Amino acid sequence: MKISLSNSWKTITIILVAIGLILLALGGYLGPVFASVSRPVVLAQAWLSNRYIAIYQILNSPQQESELRARNIELENEVSQLQSQIITLQQQLSKTQNLEALLGFAGSNPQLQPVAATVIGRDPSPFLHYLIVDQGSDDGIRKGMPVVTQSGLVGKVDAVIAGASRIQLVTDPGSIINVNLQTQDMDAQVIGSITGEITLEMVPQDIVLQSGEMILTSGLGGTFPGDLLIGQVISIRKLENDLYQTATVQPVVDFSQLQAVLIITNFKPVDITPLLPK
Amino acid sequence: MVQMAIFSQFTIQSGKADLILLVVIALGLQPEISKLDNVIFSLFAGVLIGFISAEPFWIVVIVYMFALFFSLFLRERLPQIPILTMFFCSIVFMTLHILIQAVYYQFLGLRIDFQTSFQNLILPSLMINIIATLPIFLVVSEVRRIVFPSLEEL
């Protein structure tokens, strides 16, 4: 009886103490006590954790570094591969755009029966402005056929072999093309030069030339069909003592960037040399 | 092919490199290559370039053959300084090639102003050739070492 009473009191006391502690904790009175008790424990825990992390890093960091380096090399390789792919795709896009433009021109001018040709080389002589293209007599190309792009006139076929042709550009110093102006009824000539510039010549003094005026082939002489765009006037040279005035012409075709051209196959150039007076 | 497709597009103003001429001279300065092989290569290169280019083939052949014989002559007289000889020959024969072309085209009736030619063609072409001279000589020498190794090199 004595023992059971004692046990009951102990139980009751523990419960009361527990309730009291809970009430004190809920009331916030045990905060300072918990803080003072937990501070050394937290400090010890932090010290232990820091030492553990330091030892872990010492043991594992070389492996991680080598893995990171390997991964870095892999990624760098991947980046360089992707960059080369981007360059290839950009080149293909540029080529596709050029071909699309040529195709559009060919589609809108079916009467010209154009044959597309890729530029495969340029004349090594610094004096001459010629292209080598990959279409020849096997593809129906003949000497004298005009060569164009979607922008305008490029030149004419100068020599042909079975699988390739040589094209004399408008800018070649030996190139002379009969032209007229878009807005005026007047015949003149466009002549190339060794520097690749083209000039409008044989323009009568009474003609009023203006910058920006478009120059088209006239078809005279039978070398080129008429109304092919060549370029536009950018500067005029007019001296009172000269018989004719001249002008510098900006070609519409960028000859340095030519990758593909169209050869007009249904135009037969006329050789009027026997008709010229001797 | 490399000359036509790539190096004809590398221009300074209107000047272009003449790689074949440089190769002809460099081959002429290689001591282990026979004169007959050199002549055959130069003739073949001249005819090929002359056939593809709009330039008359006889100009190319004559200039290449002259360049070869001059480099063969200098190879025997000045065997110790092949690189200097290479530079000298490339400058002389590039200038000669351009001048012959200029005179020829003048006779054909093309308008070739000397000052413009000098500024836009002759000087830039010479500059590109001088830049390309040393690499071409080293490449040709290396190829020669592989194909015709001398006794010391073996």
Side-chain angles (χ1 to χ4, degrees):
Chain A
M1 184 72 187
K2 193 176 181 180
I3 293 168
S4 70
L5 189 68
S6 171
N7 281 343
S8 300
W9 275 109
K10 277 180 188 172
T11 307
I12 290 164
T13 308
I14 288 167
I15 290 168
L16 286 175
V17 168
I19 290 168
L21 285 172
I22 290 167
L23 289 173
L24 285 171
L26 289 173
Y29 297 106
L30 288 181
V33 178
F34 281 140
S36 57
V37 171
S38 64
R39 190 174 295 121
V41 176
V42 170
L43 286 173
Q45 175 69 29
W47 182 86
L48 191 65
S49 175
N50 286 338
R51 295 304 173 274
Y52 172 76
I53 289 168
I55 291 165
Y56 181 82
Q57 281 181 343
I58 288 167
L59 291 175
N60 291 300
S61 63
Q63 193 183 346
Q64 277 186 343
E65 194 179 328
S66 61
E67 279 177 10
L68 283 172
R69 280 185 181 166
R71 182 76 182 136
N72 190 33
I73 290 166
E74 276 178 26
L75 290 172
E76 280 179 356
N77 287 337
E78 202 171 330
V79 166
S80 58
Q81 279 178 357
L82 289 171
Q83 280 175 338
S84 68
Q85 277 181 1
I86 287 170
I87 291 167
T88 310
L89 287 172
Q90 281 174 339
Q91 286 173 341
Q92 284 177 350
L93 181 68
S94 166
K95 197 173 178 180
T96 308
Q97 283 172 340
N98 285 336
L99 290 174
E100 192 183 350
L102 285 179
L103 199 63
F105 178 82
S108 58
N109 298 278
Q111 76 282 0
L112 299 176
Q113 294 177 2
V115 172
T118 306
V119 177
I120 56 170
R122 286 168 192 272
D123 198 292
S125 170
F127 283 94
L128 305 172
H129 299 269
Y130 285 80
L131 296 176
I132 316 289
V133 295
D134 66 346
Q135 301 287 326
S137 56
D138 286 353
D139 309 290
I141 310 301
R142 299 289 179 267
K143 186 179 175 181
M145 285 179 171
V147 182
V148 297
T149 66
Q150 74 282 2
S151 305
L153 184 67
V154 171
K156 66 177 178 182
V157 177
D158 172 66
V160 186
I161 57 172
S165 308
R166 190 171 65 211
I167 293 167
Q168 183 187 38
L169 299 180
V170 173
T171 53
D172 185 73
S175 162
I176 301 172
I177 301 167
N178 291 315
V179 297
N180 54 24
L181 299 177
Q182 190 178 29
T183 56
Q184 301 183 56
D185 186 19
M186 171 222 67
D187 292 316
Q189 288 183 331
V190 161
I191 299 175
S193 70
I194 54 169
T195 55
E197 292 170 357
I198 55 175
T199 50
L200 180 68
E201 304 205 355
M202 308 292 281
V203 181
Q205 289 280 14
D206 57 332
I207 297 290
V208 181
L209 276 178
Q210 289 179 336
S211 294
E213 197 143 21
M214 304 307 282
I215 297 168
L216 307 162
T217 54
S218 66
L220 283 177
T223 321
F224 291 100
D227 297 332
L228 291 175
L229 188 59
I230 294 177
Q232 59 180 7
V233 174
I234 51 172
S235 66
I236 300 140
R237 182 172 172 272
K238 185 176 184 179
L239 297 174
E240 285 185 5
N241 296 331
D242 286 349
L243 279 176
Y244 298 99
Q245 53 182 321
T246 60
T248 308
V249 178
Q250 173 71 49
V252 287
V253 178
D254 183 1
F255 295 101
S256 63
Q257 302 293 326
L258 269 184
Q259 292 178 337
V261 293
L262 292 172
I263 302 171
I264 299 173
T265 56
N266 74 338
F267 178 80
K268 289 187 173 54
V270 181
D271 184 13
I272 60 166
T273 315
L275 302 175
L276 295 174
K278 293 179 181 174
Chain B
M1 287 167 69
V2 174
Q3 166 77 39
M4 295 277 185
I6 301 169
F7 284 92
S8 290
Q9 302 198 37
F10 289 157
T11 57
I12 297 179
Q13 291 195 339
S14 300
K16 290 178 184 173
D18 191 347
L19 286 194
I20 310 293
L21 176 66
L22 295 179
V23 171
V24 165
I25 295 169
L27 279 174
L29 293 172
Q30 302 302 316
E32 303 296 328
I33 301 177
S34 73
K35 289 179 182 174
L36 183 64
D37 287 347
N38 273 321
V39 170
I40 290 170
F41 176 80
S42 304
L43 204 60
F44 179 71
V47 171
L48 192 68
I49 290 288
F51 176 68
I52 297 169
S53 170
E55 182 185 352
F57 86 93
W58 57 266
I59 293 182
V60 192
V61 172
I62 286 174
V63 170
Y64 285 6
M65 293 311 286
F66 265 114
L68 173 70
F69 287 125
F70 194 68
S71 59
L72 287 173
F73 172 78
L74 290 181
R75 180 175 90 181
E76 290 173 1
R77 300 293 187 280
L78 302 166
Q80 290 87 4
I81 46 169
I83 294 177
L84 209 60
T85 314
M86 174 86 193
F87 274 103
F88 177 72
C89 287
S90 71
I91 291 168
V92 167
F93 285 97
M94 189 68 204
T95 312
L96 184 71
H97 192 182
I98 294 174
L99 287 178
I100 290 174
Q101 284 186 73
V103 172
Y104 175 77
Y105 293 129
Q106 285 275 9
F107 275 114
L108 279 187
L110 305 186
R111 282 181 301 179
I112 295 176
D113 175 34
F114 178 75
Q115 192 180 350
T116 312
S117 304
F118 191 77
Q119 285 176 349
N120 294 301
L121 290 180
I122 298 175
L123 278 183
S125 295
L126 277 177
M127 197 180 290
I128 297 179
N129 270 284
I130 289 169
I131 291 168
T133 296
L134 192 59
I136 293 287
F137 182 79
L138 294 176
V139 168
V140 170
S141 300
E142 202 57 39
V143 171
R144 195 273 305 160
R145 268 192 210 104
I146 295 166
V147 180
F148 300 107
S150 63
L151 286 175
E152 297 89 44
E153 287 158 355
L154 281 171

